[in-house]
Amino acid sequence: MSGPADPREPGPADPLERHAALWRGAEGPSRWVIWHAGDGEDIVFDRELNVPADIEDAELAEVVRRMRRAGVPESDDYPGRPC
């Protein structure tokens, strides 16, 4: 019998599968970061495109939870480049 499933892996009917790259990144510097933008607001930020990731409000808490579980970096400072 195999061990427990990897919690970063979605179930067969996981509606968040389209966001899986946010918590299953490549080795090296993370493209995405959880940015604590203030007033308790967490934003998933894409450092490659230098913009917030497009995540539905209803899905944001679960996406951030999965990203934290996977060890995605978090920052209180603006994570992007100057515009």
Side-chain angles (χ1 to χ4, degrees), residues 54-76:
D54 187 20
I55 310 279
E56 298 288 329
D57 289 342
E59 299 172 338
L60 182 61
E62 179 61 16
V63 168
V64 168
R65 184 190 72 75
R66 292 182 190 195
M67 291 176 74
R68 284 184 173 131
R69 177 175 261 176
V72 171
E74 300 190 40
S75 176
D76 291 331

Side-chain angles (χ1 to χ4, degrees), residues 1-9:
M1 180 172 254
S2 64
D6 185 336
R8 295 174 293 180
E9 294 297 323

Side-chain angles (χ1 to χ4, degrees), residues 1-78:
M1 180 172 254
S2 64
D6 185 336
R8 295 174 293 180
E9 294 297 323
D14 189 338
L16 298 177
E17 176 60 26
R18 69 185 177 282
H19 298 302
L22 298 173
W23 56 85
R24 280 196 234 135
E27 295 298 318
S30 179
R31 174 179 175 173
W32 295 278
V33 63
I34 300 168
W35 174 31
H36 308 289
D39 295 328
E41 181 180 17
D42 289 333
I43 295 173
V44 175
F45 195 86
D46 183 335
R47 294 192 292 193
E48 184 176 302
L49 298 178
N50 205 40
V51 296
D54 187 20
I55 310 279
E56 298 288 329
D57 289 342
E59 299 172 338
L60 182 61
E62 179 61 16
V63 168
V64 168
R65 184 190 72 75
R66 292 182 190 195
M67 291 176 74
R68 284 184 173 131
R69 177 175 261 176
V72 171
E74 300 190 40
S75 176
D76 291 331
D77 298 324
Y78 176 70

